[in-house]
Amino acid sequence: MTRLSTLLFGGFCLLSAAGALAVEAQDASRVNLALGKPVTGSPICKPGEEASKAVNGKVESKTQDKFCTLQTPGWLRIDLGQVRRISGFTIKHAGAGNEPVAMNTRAFRLRVSPDGKTWKTVVDESSNTASITEHRIAPEQARYVELDVTKPTQTDDPAMRIYEVEVW
């Protein structure tokens, strides 16, 4: 290798490593603002599937770590405790909890509000099939986040199953 090609190759390696570190730092700085926060939602399917399960940070058990409701449309509202800067969401649907992907939420909206009265829709999904969805938005100032589900599954199953809602 010539000295110039060695320098170019070394520079490329450094840039690649710096890029990987930047991505790692971005993910490390993503704090789940919803974790453990007060949450309310539609009536539950059965005891043990309360709305609080959607913000407990766990996706380990399909019988203990999900929020489930038979109400359509179903909803879940998270109180972040104070107005926070929000730039995105991660939703873990049924497949993330090892349930059939046919149970993944099909159609939903995410809305934000600084006061619980004035709401702005920031995500409007009508054809989701994924088990985990990530939604980056233009930064918003909000205290409340609401997930409204209009089509809870890929089929006619009426149960909405949400394993986790992360707000970042």
Side-chain angles (χ1 to χ4, degrees):
M1 233 186 221
T2 67
R3 183 176 177 163
L4 178 59
S5 57
T6 302
L7 286 172
L8 288 173
F9 179 72
F12 173 76
C13 290
L14 285 173
L15 284 174
S16 295
L21 288 174
V23 168
E24 226 174 84
Q26 178 184 5
D27 289 343
S29 69
R30 186 185 289 181
V31 175
N32 180 4
L33 302 172
L35 185 62
K37 294 295 192 261
V39 62
T40 55
S42 301
I44 60 174
C45 292
K46 63 183 180 183
E49 297 178 336
E50 294 80 16
S52 61
K53 300 296 176 83
V55 294
N56 70 358
K58 299 177 184 175
V59 187
E60 297 162 8
S61 167
K62 62 181 162 183
T63 58
Q64 298 173 1
D65 293 318
K66 70 179 171 191
F67 166 59
C68 181
T69 184
L70 293 170
Q71 181 177 307
T72 303
W75 60 276
L76 181 74
R77 183 180 289 181
I78 304 163
D79 180 352
L80 301 175
Q82 64 185 17
V83 174
R84 306 293 300 259
R85 182 179 184 270
I86 297 170
S87 58
F89 309 88
T90 302
I91 312 276
K92 296 181 181 174
H93 306 275
N98 293 318
E99 293 195 65
V101 294
M103 294 178 178
N104 284 343
T105 316
R106 179 72 174 180
F108 58 93
R109 289 182 314 176
L110 284 159
R111 302 185 315 148
V112 296
S113 171
D115 57 10
K117 296 175 185 162
T118 308
W119 293 89
K120 178 179 182 181
T121 299
V122 292
V123 173
D124 194 354
E125 176 62 57
S126 61
S127 58
N128 176 59
T129 57
S131 297
I132 299 174
T133 57
E134 186 171 285
H135 310 275
R136 294 179 188 275
I137 63 167
E140 291 283 341
Q141 295 291 322
R143 175 178 174 170
Y144 300 94
V145 172
E146 189 168 274
L147 171 65
D148 296 312
V149 174
T150 54
K151 179 97 172 88
T153 65
Q154 309 298 307
T155 66
D156 290 332
D157 183 335
M160 168 181 152
R161 300 165 180 89
I162 301 294
Y163 277 80
E164 199 71 20
V165 176
E166 297 174 4
V167 179
W168 34 273

